[in-house]
Structures are given as C-alpha cells and as structure tokens.
Amino acid sequence: MPVSKLQKDALVEFLNVAIGRAARALNLMVKEEILLSIPNVDFLQRHEVLARLNETTGGVVSAIQQTFESSFSGDAFLVFPENQSLKLVQYIIGDLIDEESMTELEQETMTEVGNVVLNACMSSLSDQLNQPIQSSIPLFLSGDPQEILFGPHPRQSDDTLVMFITVMFQMKSGQIGGYIMLVLDMDSANNFLGQIDKMLPPPNDE
Amino acid sequence: MEKKNLLIVDDSRVARMVVRSIIENLKANVVILEAANGQEALQAIRDNQVHAVLLDHGMPDKSGLEVAVEIRAEKPDILIYMLTANVQESMKSRAQTVGVGFIEKPATEEKIRDFLERTGS
C-alpha cells in the first residue's frame, strides 16, 4: 500500500500524541515514569505479524483487547509477556490486598489497566482526528499470540495484509514493559489515512 | 456532621477498590456504597439517600450516561460525576449536555479530593 512520506510522518505524529496520553494514564497508575519507543507502522501479512509478536514477546502473552469503530475500525491491544502481568497487579493494587487475592484479581486488574490505557490512546486519536470512536468493553486474553490477535478460528488466510502499529513501553525501573498494538484491515487503514490526510495542510503547488 | 452517602458505579471491581481506597485514605466523611452496573446503581439510589455518584461509562448493561439520565430523572439533586477512561472531547461534551461532571480515569488522590470538595465532604 503506497503511503507518502508526509502521510507516514503525520501518522507517527498523531500516534505519538495518542501513545503519550496512554503512557500518562499508565504513569498515574503505577506512579513511575513510562519510557516509549517511536511508533512503528508496517503493512504486513498476518503470518509476519505473528512472527514479529513471537520475536518481541517470546511467545505466550497476556493481552487486553478492545475493538474500536469509527470511519475506520480495528482492534487495539495492550500486550505483556505473560510473566509480567502479576508484577503489574502488584504495582496497581498490591497495597490493597493480600498475596493470595492477587492471582484472583489478576484478570480484573489487567482488564481495567487495558481499559484505561487503550481508551486514553483511542480518545486522543478521536480528538485529533475529530472523529468519535466507539470502543467495546475490554477483554482479557492469555495464551498463543495467533489466537489473541486473530481469534481461535480465523476467517482470513495468513497472507491477508494488515496495517500493524506497535509501540513499546517500559517502566523506567525496567520492572515492566509491554506493547500497545493496533491492527487494522486494509480498508480501514485506507480510511484511517484518509482521515489523517484531511488534517494535513493542502499541498503546495509552487 | 452527618456522613454523606457516596455511590461508586463501575463494572470493574478493581476500579471500585482503587477509588474506595483513595477515599478512605483521604478520611472523607462519607459512607461508600458500590454498584457494579446501571441496574444496581438505580436500585441503590432508590434504597438510600445518595448525595453523590461516581459513574463509569463503559458498562455492559447500560452506559454511564444512560444511567446518569435516569438518575437525574428520579433524583435531580444528586451530584453526578462520570469517572471514565473514555476521555474523548465528544464524550465530555455529552456529559456536559446531560449536566454531569467529568473525571478522567485513572482515579488519583488529587482528582478524588477535588470531587469530594464539591460534595462538601
């Protein structure tokens, strides 16, 4: 899919602002600075997305997924290597409960973290693009990246092209890190870029 | 001074725990009630003299704004604040239209202290 340099630059800038807002939300929850990578935007076949995810997370992951809908639609994920989710729970509600309850509340805590972080990101995109975005109730998922990203019974083949956006984040202490990921099919990616085009200044004909 | 009843409405038990803990740490002069969805929230305001409500938006049965409209219709004097992760400007504007306040998640001590001051607690 052809994306101009200006479009990609604008897209990364919009995403930087959105992810910054998400990081701020996470920062308030864990009370520690959050370091962010530059957003990575790729057009990949689904099997390439999975290979990338396996490479970056080492396999089994915990994730919170929200579907979003606007003039474009897709899925947003907050993804952690599986062994990090209990650590995060400790940070968020460790003072409020005993160790035994920690595992019991792991899913609920992760879901609420995902709700806050992903909504912060999507709300920022909504405000920047002046497009209301509807988000689903967040869903906690754990296990194989393929099932998490594309569901247990994928309808599309592995060579289907998707727009794949990833940002890595990490607490400054290095204790916990993960990824925010957005997956859009190509029709939605086109609409998303179309919305971004509308926000760009008109081309200079001189 | 008589304690005021404050209702926290959120489908997330963890979100309710966090807000409760902040309020308790602030030693506010309130009795905390909890509801996990819109239906429970409406029942709580019928069964108790609720002074203020902190209301999540994204809940499975009814949205927070729908619940706010219904609470307004039954008990117009209750102070209602949305406490939500959906922080879009369009959402804030709809909250304003319904006549409810707006607090962005995550809840922090500062935000909850401001809210409590508005309730007079």
Side-chain angles (χ1 to χ4, degrees), chain A residues 21 25 28-29 92-93 96-97 104-105 108-109 112 115-116 119-120 122-123 126-127 131-134 137, chain B residues 10-15 17-18 21 56 58-60 85-90 92 94 104-106 108 111:
Chain A
R21 191 148 158 192
L28 288 171
M29 284 188 279
I92 308 272
I93 55 167
L96 309 180
I97 54 170
E104 186 198 328
L105 286 170
E108 287 187 58
T109 307
E112 181 61 7
N115 178 41
V116 172
N119 264 304
M122 299 316 296
S123 294
S126 157
D127 292 347
Q131 287 278 309
I133 296 176
Q134 308 293 325
I137 301 281
Chain B
D10 201 309
D11 58 317
S12 163
R13 182 166 41 149
V14 170
M17 276 173 60
V18 169
S21 143
D56 182 28
M59 295 187 288
N86 184 340
V87 295
Q88 300 177 48
E89 288 304 323
S90 55
K92 291 179 187 173
R94 281 159 61 204
E104 293 188 8
K105 274 189 178 178
T108 62
K111 293 174 193 174

